[in-house]
């Protein structure tokens, strides 16, 4: 695909006249016609290009395993997913873990806990705490992106499970990686953050564990998640770096770490 001179010429022409992404959209449509779907090629596409909004949810579902690679099974598997969702939801209602007033993000959390066999005893149930912050943050953002509650639940569940299974060991090292790139791009800012005590208090949990959920506008967040879902954890470091560089002048004006942290949590 990338070695086709005809395609490269067309892509350059479309981009020049303002139709960036036309050829990429066609390429993705071709990939989505394969049966079974080639997950490696779709992942590579998602790494290189932004996903068209009309295909984003479908691609996410395929890459996260909500739907299988075999396209002719999508309808059947989608039906099973919906039935399983309803069964788990009704079980929680019968056990009185949830009711009509329970926030949907808390419902998704209890559903995942039940399926993962970590649901607390009903007598011990209390509002979700910091331990569940990442799940709830991602759930709130996913709700803004996905309309259907069944799709929303499965995408949240599979996104978080895949993220931790693939990148759980890498998460503790991302702050150091951010420091490394910041030292190359803006050593003065790094020195200021370090000497003011703000470096260790940067909102790493919000940025890395929550994958910027609740931190970036929806349009930007979707593009970041495209890369994470298709297999890139490093994108989180580069987004954090860009945030620090974009607000460099403001951050240099803070003398206390609390000012830096409060600002970055509310950009």
């Amino acid at each position: 695909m990338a070695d086709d001179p005809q395609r490269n010429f067309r892509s350059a022409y479309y981009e020049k006249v303002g139709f960036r992404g036309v050829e990429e959209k066609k390429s993705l449509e071709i990939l989505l016609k394969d049966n079974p779907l080639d997950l490696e090629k779709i992942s590579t596409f998602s790494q290189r290009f932004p996903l068209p909004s009309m295909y984003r949810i479908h691609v996410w579902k395929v890459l996260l395993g909500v739907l299988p690679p075999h396209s002719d099974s999508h309808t059947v598997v989608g039906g099973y997913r919906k039935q399983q969702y309803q069964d788990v939801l009704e079980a929680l209602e019968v056990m009185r873990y949830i009711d009509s007033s329970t926030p949907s993000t808390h419902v998704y959390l209890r559903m995942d806990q039940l399926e993962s066999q970590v649901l607390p005893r009903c007598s011990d149930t209390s509002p979700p705490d910091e331990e569940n912050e990442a799940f709830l943050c991602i759930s709130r953002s996913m709700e803004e992106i996905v309309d259907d509650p069944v799709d929303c639940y499965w995408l949240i569940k599979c996104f978080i499970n895949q993220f931790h299974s693939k990148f759980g060991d890498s998460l503790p090292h991302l702050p150091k990686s951010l420091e490394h790139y910041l030292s190359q791009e803006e050593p003065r800012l790094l020195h200021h953050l370090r000497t003011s005590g703000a470096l260790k208090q940067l909102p790493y949990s919000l940025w890395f564990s929550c994958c910027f959920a609740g931190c970036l506008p929806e349009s930007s967040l979707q593009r970041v998640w495209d890369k994470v879902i298709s297999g890139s954890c490093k994108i989180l470091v580069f987004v954090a770096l860009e945030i620090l560089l974009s607000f460099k002048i403001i951050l240099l004006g803070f003398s206390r770490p609390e000012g830096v942290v409060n600002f970055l949590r509310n950009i």
Side-chain angles (χ1 to χ4, degrees), residues 156-205:
I156 294 165
K157 179 183 179 70
C158 294
F159 178 35
I160 292 173
N161 287 347
Q162 177 178 286
F163 182 74
H164 285 290
S165 64
K166 277 189 173 182
F167 308 124
D169 293 338
S170 302
L171 280 179
H173 305 290
L174 296 187
K176 279 294 181 184
S177 184
L178 175 60
E179 286 184 46
H180 168 72
Y181 289 109
L182 187 58
S183 69
Q184 295 182 325
E185 295 288 334
E186 192 54 63
R188 180 185 167 205
L189 177 58
L190 176 61
H191 176 74
H192 175 75
L193 294 174
R194 186 174 282 147
T195 55
S196 67
L199 187 64
K200 292 183 178 180
Q201 297 184 39
L202 294 181
Y204 294 125
S205 176

Short mmCIF file of all heavy atoms in Angstrom, two decimals, residues 156-205:
data_model
loop_
_atom_site.label_atom_id
_atom_site.label_comp_id
_atom_site.label_asym_id
_atom_site.label_seq_id
_atom_site.Cartn_x
_atom_site.Cartn_y
_atom_site.Cartn_z
N ILE A 156 -15.12 -0.01 27.42
CA ILE A 156 -14.45 0.37 28.66
C ILE A 156 -13.71 -0.83 29.25
O ILE A 156 -12.52 -0.77 29.56
CB ILE A 156 -15.46 0.90 29.70
CG1 ILE A 156 -16.08 2.21 29.24
CG2 ILE A 156 -14.81 1.08 31.06
CD1 ILE A 156 -17.33 2.60 30.01
N LYS A 157 -14.43 -1.92 29.38
CA LYS A 157 -13.88 -3.13 30.01
C LYS A 157 -12.67 -3.66 29.24
O LYS A 157 -11.60 -3.91 29.83
CB LYS A 157 -14.98 -4.21 30.04
CG LYS A 157 -14.55 -5.55 30.64
CD LYS A 157 -15.70 -6.54 30.54
CE LYS A 157 -15.31 -7.90 31.10
NZ LYS A 157 -15.16 -7.87 32.58
N CYS A 158 -12.81 -3.78 27.93
CA CYS A 158 -11.72 -4.36 27.12
C CYS A 158 -10.56 -3.39 26.97
O CYS A 158 -9.40 -3.81 26.91
CB CYS A 158 -12.26 -4.78 25.76
SG CYS A 158 -13.45 -6.15 25.84
N PHE A 159 -10.85 -2.09 26.90
CA PHE A 159 -9.79 -1.09 26.82
C PHE A 159 -8.91 -1.14 28.06
O PHE A 159 -7.69 -1.21 27.99
CB PHE A 159 -10.43 0.29 26.65
CG PHE A 159 -9.44 1.44 26.59
CD1 PHE A 159 -8.21 1.29 26.00
CD2 PHE A 159 -9.77 2.67 27.12
CE1 PHE A 159 -7.31 2.36 25.94
CE2 PHE A 159 -8.88 3.74 27.07
CZ PHE A 159 -7.65 3.58 26.48
N ILE A 160 -9.55 -1.12 29.22
CA ILE A 160 -8.79 -1.13 30.48
C ILE A 160 -8.04 -2.44 30.66
O ILE A 160 -6.86 -2.46 31.05
CB ILE A 160 -9.74 -0.86 31.66
CG1 ILE A 160 -10.26 0.58 31.59
CG2 ILE A 160 -9.04 -1.11 33.00
CD1 ILE A 160 -11.33 0.92 32.59
N ASN A 161 -8.68 -3.56 30.35
CA ASN A 161 -8.01 -4.86 30.49
C ASN A 161 -6.80 -4.98 29.56
O ASN A 161 -5.73 -5.43 29.97
CB ASN A 161 -9.00 -5.99 30.20
CG ASN A 161 -10.00 -6.19 31.31
OD1 ASN A 161 -9.84 -5.66 32.41
ND2 ASN A 161 -11.06 -6.94 31.05
N GLN A 162 -6.98 -4.55 28.31
CA GLN A 162 -5.88 -4.64 27.36
C GLN A 162 -4.76 -3.68 27.74
O GLN A 162 -3.57 -4.03 27.66
CB GLN A 162 -6.37 -4.30 25.94
CG GLN A 162 -5.24 -4.30 24.91
CD GLN A 162 -5.71 -4.01 23.51
OE1 GLN A 162 -6.32 -4.86 22.86
NE2 GLN A 162 -5.47 -2.81 23.02
N PHE A 163 -5.13 -2.49 28.18
CA PHE A 163 -4.13 -1.49 28.56
C PHE A 163 -3.24 -2.01 29.68
O PHE A 163 -2.01 -1.91 29.63
CB PHE A 163 -4.83 -0.20 28.98
CG PHE A 163 -3.89 0.91 29.35
CD1 PHE A 163 -3.18 1.59 28.37
CD2 PHE A 163 -3.70 1.29 30.67
CE1 PHE A 163 -2.29 2.62 28.70
CE2 PHE A 163 -2.83 2.30 31.01
CZ PHE A 163 -2.12 2.98 30.02
N HIS A 164 -3.85 -2.61 30.70
CA HIS A 164 -3.06 -3.09 31.84
C HIS A 164 -2.28 -4.35 31.50
O HIS A 164 -1.15 -4.54 31.99
CB HIS A 164 -3.97 -3.31 33.04
CG HIS A 164 -4.39 -2.03 33.71
ND1 HIS A 164 -3.52 -1.25 34.41
CD2 HIS A 164 -5.58 -1.39 33.74
CE1 HIS A 164 -4.14 -0.18 34.87
NE2 HIS A 164 -5.40 -0.25 34.47
N SER A 165 -2.84 -5.21 30.67
CA SER A 165 -2.11 -6.43 30.31
C SER A 165 -0.92 -6.12 29.40
O SER A 165 0.14 -6.75 29.50
CB SER A 165 -3.05 -7.44 29.63
OG SER A 165 -3.53 -6.93 28.40
N LYS A 166 -1.07 -5.13 28.52
CA LYS A 166 0.01 -4.79 27.59
C LYS A 166 1.03 -3.84 28.20
O LYS A 166 2.23 -3.96 27.98
CB LYS A 166 -0.57 -4.14 26.32
CG LYS A 166 -1.08 -5.12 25.28
CD LYS A 166 -1.40 -4.37 24.00
CE LYS A 166 -1.76 -5.35 22.88
NZ LYS A 166 -2.02 -4.64 21.61
N PHE A 167 0.52 -2.85 28.95
CA PHE A 167 1.39 -1.75 29.36
C PHE A 167 1.53 -1.59 30.87
O PHE A 167 2.17 -0.64 31.34
CB PHE A 167 0.87 -0.43 28.78
CG PHE A 167 0.62 -0.45 27.30
CD1 PHE A 167 -0.62 -0.14 26.77
CD2 PHE A 167 1.64 -0.81 26.43
CE1 PHE A 167 -0.85 -0.17 25.40
CE2 PHE A 167 1.43 -0.85 25.06
CZ PHE A 167 0.18 -0.53 24.53
N GLY A 168 0.93 -2.50 31.63
CA GLY A 168 0.98 -2.38 33.09
C GLY A 168 2.40 -2.28 33.63
O GLY A 168 2.68 -1.48 34.54
N ASP A 169 3.32 -3.04 33.05
CA ASP A 169 4.71 -3.01 33.51
C ASP A 169 5.45 -1.74 33.07
O ASP A 169 6.47 -1.36 33.67
CB ASP A 169 5.48 -4.23 32.98
CG ASP A 169 4.97 -5.53 33.58
OD1 ASP A 169 4.36 -5.47 34.67
OD2 ASP A 169 5.17 -6.59 32.97
N SER A 170 4.94 -1.10 32.02
CA SER A 170 5.60 0.11 31.50
C SER A 170 5.17 1.38 32.21
O SER A 170 5.91 2.37 32.22
CB SER A 170 5.31 0.26 29.99
OG SER A 170 5.73 -0.87 29.28
N LEU A 171 3.97 1.38 32.81
CA LEU A 171 3.42 2.59 33.41
C LEU A 171 4.37 3.25 34.42
O LEU A 171 4.54 4.48 34.38
CB LEU A 171 2.07 2.30 34.07
CG LEU A 171 0.86 2.21 33.15
CD1 LEU A 171 -0.40 1.88 33.95
CD2 LEU A 171 0.66 3.51 32.39
N PRO A 172 4.98 2.50 35.34
CA PRO A 172 5.85 3.15 36.32
C PRO A 172 7.04 3.87 35.70
O PRO A 172 7.64 4.74 36.34
CB PRO A 172 6.32 1.99 37.22
CG PRO A 172 5.31 0.91 37.00
CD PRO A 172 4.87 1.05 35.59
N HIS A 173 7.41 3.51 34.47
CA HIS A 173 8.59 4.09 33.84
C HIS A 173 8.27 5.31 32.97
O HIS A 173 9.19 5.99 32.50
CB HIS A 173 9.29 3.03 32.97
CG HIS A 173 9.63 1.78 33.72
ND1 HIS A 173 10.61 1.73 34.70
CD2 HIS A 173 9.10 0.52 33.66
CE1 HIS A 173 10.69 0.51 35.19
NE2 HIS A 173 9.78 -0.24 34.59
N LEU A 174 7.00 5.61 32.75
CA LEU A 174 6.64 6.72 31.86
C LEU A 174 7.08 8.08 32.40
O LEU A 174 7.52 8.93 31.62
CB LEU A 174 5.13 6.70 31.58
CG LEU A 174 4.60 5.47 30.83
CD1 LEU A 174 3.14 5.65 30.46
CD2 LEU A 174 5.42 5.18 29.58
N PRO A 175 6.96 8.35 33.72
CA PRO A 175 7.44 9.65 34.21
C PRO A 175 8.92 9.89 33.91
O PRO A 175 9.31 11.00 33.53
CB PRO A 175 7.18 9.57 35.72
CG PRO A 175 6.01 8.64 35.85
CD PRO A 175 6.24 7.61 34.79
N LYS A 176 9.77 8.87 34.06
CA LYS A 176 11.19 9.01 33.75
C LYS A 176 11.40 9.27 32.26
O LYS A 176 12.29 10.05 31.86
CB LYS A 176 11.96 7.76 34.18
CG LYS A 176 12.29 7.70 35.66
CD LYS A 176 13.29 8.81 36.01
CE LYS A 176 13.64 8.75 37.49
NZ LYS A 176 14.53 9.90 37.87
N SER A 177 10.60 8.61 31.46
CA SER A 177 10.69 8.82 30.02
C SER A 177 10.31 10.26 29.67
O SER A 177 10.94 10.90 28.82
CB SER A 177 9.76 7.83 29.29
OG SER A 177 9.89 7.95 27.90
N LEU A 178 9.29 10.78 30.34
CA LEU A 178 8.88 12.17 30.13
C LEU A 178 10.02 13.12 30.51
O LEU A 178 10.31 14.08 29.79
CB LEU A 178 7.63 12.47 30.95
CG LEU A 178 7.14 13.93 30.93
CD1 LEU A 178 6.81 14.38 29.51
CD2 LEU A 178 5.92 14.09 31.83
N GLU A 179 10.67 12.87 31.64
CA GLU A 179 11.80 13.68 32.07
C GLU A 179 12.91 13.69 31.01
O GLU A 179 13.52 14.72 30.73
CB GLU A 179 12.36 13.17 33.39
CG GLU A 179 11.52 13.47 34.61
CD GLU A 179 12.20 13.00 35.89
OE1 GLU A 179 13.41 13.28 36.05
OE2 GLU A 179 11.52 12.34 36.71
N HIS A 180 13.16 12.51 30.45
CA HIS A 180 14.22 12.39 29.44
C HIS A 180 13.94 13.28 28.23
O HIS A 180 14.82 14.05 27.80
CB HIS A 180 14.34 10.93 29.00
CG HIS A 180 15.19 10.73 27.78
ND1 HIS A 180 16.57 10.88 27.79
CD2 HIS A 180 14.84 10.43 26.49
CE1 HIS A 180 17.05 10.67 26.57
NE2 HIS A 180 16.03 10.40 25.78
N TYR A 181 12.73 13.20 27.71
CA TYR A 181 12.40 14.00 26.52
C TYR A 181 12.32 15.49 26.85
O TYR A 181 12.71 16.33 26.03
CB TYR A 181 11.08 13.51 25.90
CG TYR A 181 11.22 12.18 25.22
CD1 TYR A 181 10.63 11.04 25.75
CD2 TYR A 181 11.95 12.04 24.04
CE1 TYR A 181 10.76 9.81 25.14
CE2 TYR A 181 12.10 10.82 23.42
CZ TYR A 181 11.50 9.70 23.96
OH TYR A 181 11.64 8.48 23.35
N LEU A 182 11.85 15.81 28.06
CA LEU A 182 11.78 17.20 28.45
C LEU A 182 13.18 17.80 28.60
O LEU A 182 13.41 18.96 28.27
CB LEU A 182 11.00 17.34 29.76
CG LEU A 182 10.69 18.77 30.23
CD1 LEU A 182 9.89 19.53 29.18
CD2 LEU A 182 9.93 18.75 31.56
N SER A 183 14.13 16.99 29.06
CA SER A 183 15.51 17.47 29.20
C SER A 183 16.12 17.81 27.84
O SER A 183 16.99 18.68 27.73
CB SER A 183 16.37 16.42 29.91
OG SER A 183 16.57 15.27 29.09
N GLN A 184 15.64 17.12 26.80
CA GLN A 184 16.14 17.39 25.46
C GLN A 184 15.45 18.59 24.84
O GLN A 184 16.08 19.37 24.11
CB GLN A 184 15.93 16.16 24.57
CG GLN A 184 16.75 14.95 24.99
CD GLN A 184 16.55 13.78 24.04
OE1 GLN A 184 15.46 13.56 23.52
NE2 GLN A 184 17.62 13.01 23.82
N GLU A 185 14.15 18.73 25.11
CA GLU A 185 13.37 19.79 24.47
C GLU A 185 13.44 21.11 25.22
O GLU A 185 13.51 22.17 24.59
CB GLU A 185 11.90 19.34 24.35
CG GLU A 185 11.67 18.15 23.44
CD GLU A 185 11.85 18.49 21.98
OE1 GLU A 185 11.67 19.68 21.61
OE2 GLU A 185 12.18 17.58 21.20
N GLU A 186 13.37 21.08 26.53
CA GLU A 186 13.28 22.30 27.32
C GLU A 186 13.91 22.10 28.69
O GLU A 186 13.21 21.98 29.71
CB GLU A 186 11.81 22.72 27.46
CG GLU A 186 11.59 24.12 28.00
CD GLU A 186 12.32 25.18 27.22
OE1 GLU A 186 12.03 25.38 26.03
OE2 GLU A 186 13.21 25.81 27.83
N PRO A 187 15.25 22.05 28.76
CA PRO A 187 15.92 21.78 30.04
C PRO A 187 15.63 22.85 31.10
O PRO A 187 15.60 22.54 32.29
CB PRO A 187 17.41 21.76 29.66
CG PRO A 187 17.49 22.43 28.32
CD PRO A 187 16.19 22.17 27.64
N ARG A 188 15.37 24.08 30.66
CA ARG A 188 15.08 25.14 31.63
C ARG A 188 13.79 24.85 32.37
O ARG A 188 13.69 25.01 33.60
CB ARG A 188 14.97 26.48 30.90
CG ARG A 188 14.66 27.66 31.83
CD ARG A 188 14.46 28.92 31.01
NE ARG A 188 13.88 29.99 31.82
CZ ARG A 188 13.16 30.98 31.31
NH1 ARG A 188 12.92 31.04 30.01
NH2 ARG A 188 12.68 31.92 32.11
N LEU A 189 12.77 24.38 31.66
CA LEU A 189 11.49 24.05 32.29
C LEU A 189 11.66 22.86 33.22
O LEU A 189 11.11 22.84 34.33
CB LEU A 189 10.44 23.75 31.23
CG LEU A 189 9.06 23.31 31.74
CD1 LEU A 189 8.46 24.37 32.68
CD2 LEU A 189 8.11 23.02 30.58
N LEU A 190 12.42 21.86 32.79
CA LEU A 190 12.66 20.69 33.64
C LEU A 190 13.35 21.11 34.94
O LEU A 190 12.96 20.65 36.02
CB LEU A 190 13.53 19.67 32.90
CG LEU A 190 13.94 18.43 33.70
CD1 LEU A 190 12.72 17.64 34.16
CD2 LEU A 190 14.88 17.54 32.88
N HIS A 191 14.34 21.98 34.83
CA HIS A 191 15.06 22.44 36.02
C HIS A 191 14.10 23.17 36.97
O HIS A 191 14.14 22.96 38.19
CB HIS A 191 16.20 23.38 35.61
CG HIS A 191 16.92 23.98 36.77
ND1 HIS A 191 17.80 23.26 37.56
CD2 HIS A 191 16.88 25.25 37.32
CE1 HIS A 191 18.29 24.04 38.51
NE2 HIS A 191 17.75 25.25 38.40
N HIS A 192 13.22 24.00 36.41
CA HIS A 192 12.26 24.74 37.23
C HIS A 192 11.30 23.79 37.94
O HIS A 192 11.03 23.94 39.15
CB HIS A 192 11.47 25.73 36.36
CG HIS A 192 10.39 26.44 37.11
ND1 HIS A 192 10.65 27.46 38.01
CD2 HIS A 192 9.03 26.27 37.12
CE1 HIS A 192 9.51 27.88 38.53
NE2 HIS A 192 8.52 27.19 38.00
N LEU A 193 10.79 22.81 37.22
CA LEU A 193 9.86 21.85 37.82
C LEU A 193 10.54 21.03 38.91
O LEU A 193 9.94 20.72 39.94
CB LEU A 193 9.29 20.92 36.74
CG LEU A 193 8.39 21.56 35.68
CD1 LEU A 193 8.03 20.54 34.61
CD2 LEU A 193 7.12 22.13 36.32
N ARG A 194 11.80 20.71 38.67
CA ARG A 194 12.53 19.89 39.63
C ARG A 194 12.85 20.69 40.90
O ARG A 194 12.63 20.22 42.02
CB ARG A 194 13.81 19.38 38.98
CG ARG A 194 14.59 18.40 39.82
CD ARG A 194 15.77 17.85 39.03
NE ARG A 194 15.36 16.82 38.07
CZ ARG A 194 15.93 16.62 36.90
NH1 ARG A 194 16.93 17.39 36.50
NH2 ARG A 194 15.52 15.65 36.11
N THR A 195 13.36 21.90 40.74
CA THR A 195 13.75 22.70 41.90
C THR A 195 12.56 23.21 42.71
O THR A 195 12.67 23.41 43.92
CB THR A 195 14.62 23.90 41.47
OG1 THR A 195 13.91 24.67 40.48
CG2 THR A 195 15.94 23.43 40.89
N SER A 196 11.42 23.40 42.04
CA SER A 196 10.22 23.87 42.74
C SER A 196 9.49 22.73 43.44
O SER A 196 8.55 22.97 44.22
CB SER A 196 9.27 24.57 41.77
OG SER A 196 8.73 23.62 40.84
N GLY A 197 9.91 21.49 43.16
CA GLY A 197 9.25 20.34 43.77
C GLY A 197 8.02 19.87 43.03
O GLY A 197 7.31 18.97 43.49
N ALA A 198 7.75 20.48 41.85
CA ALA A 198 6.54 20.14 41.11
C ALA A 198 6.69 18.87 40.27
O ALA A 198 5.69 18.21 39.96
CB ALA A 198 6.13 21.30 40.20
N LEU A 199 7.93 18.53 39.93
CA LEU A 199 8.13 17.41 39.00
C LEU A 199 7.54 16.11 39.54
O LEU A 199 6.89 15.37 38.80
CB LEU A 199 9.62 17.24 38.73
CG LEU A 199 9.98 16.22 37.64
CD1 LEU A 199 9.43 16.66 36.29
CD2 LEU A 199 11.50 16.03 37.56
N LYS A 200 7.76 15.85 40.82
CA LYS A 200 7.26 14.60 41.39
C LYS A 200 5.75 14.62 41.61
O LYS A 200 5.15 13.58 41.86
CB LYS A 200 7.97 14.32 42.72
CG LYS A 200 9.45 13.99 42.56
CD LYS A 200 10.08 13.64 43.90
CE LYS A 200 11.55 13.27 43.74
NZ LYS A 200 12.18 12.93 45.04
N GLN A 201 5.15 15.81 41.55
CA GLN A 201 3.72 15.93 41.82
C GLN A 201 2.88 16.16 40.56
O GLN A 201 1.69 16.43 40.65
CB GLN A 201 3.48 17.08 42.80
CG GLN A 201 4.12 16.87 44.16
CD GLN A 201 3.78 17.98 45.14
OE1 GLN A 201 2.65 18.47 45.18
NE2 GLN A 201 4.75 18.39 45.94
N LEU A 202 3.48 16.06 39.39
CA LEU A 202 2.72 16.22 38.15
C LEU A 202 1.59 15.18 38.11
O LEU A 202 1.73 14.09 38.69
CB LEU A 202 3.64 16.05 36.94
CG LEU A 202 4.73 17.12 36.75
CD1 LEU A 202 5.55 16.83 35.50
CD2 LEU A 202 4.13 18.51 36.67
N PRO A 203 0.48 15.50 37.45
CA PRO A 203 -0.67 14.58 37.47
C PRO A 203 -0.46 13.34 36.62
O PRO A 203 -1.17 13.09 35.65
CB PRO A 203 -1.81 15.46 36.93
CG PRO A 203 -1.14 16.47 36.08
CD PRO A 203 0.18 16.76 36.74
N TYR A 204 0.54 12.54 37.01
CA TYR A 204 0.88 11.34 36.23
C TYR A 204 -0.28 10.36 36.16
O TYR A 204 -0.48 9.68 35.15
CB TYR A 204 2.11 10.65 36.82
CG TYR A 204 3.38 11.47 36.72
CD1 TYR A 204 4.13 11.75 37.85
CD2 TYR A 204 3.83 11.94 35.49
CE1 TYR A 204 5.31 12.49 37.77
CE2 TYR A 204 4.99 12.68 35.39
CZ TYR A 204 5.73 12.95 36.53
OH TYR A 204 6.89 13.69 36.44
N SER A 205 -1.04 10.22 37.25
CA SER A 205 -2.16 9.28 37.26
C SER A 205 -3.20 9.68 36.21
O SER A 205 -3.70 8.85 35.45
CB SER A 205 -2.79 9.23 38.65
OG SER A 205 -3.93 8.40 38.65
#
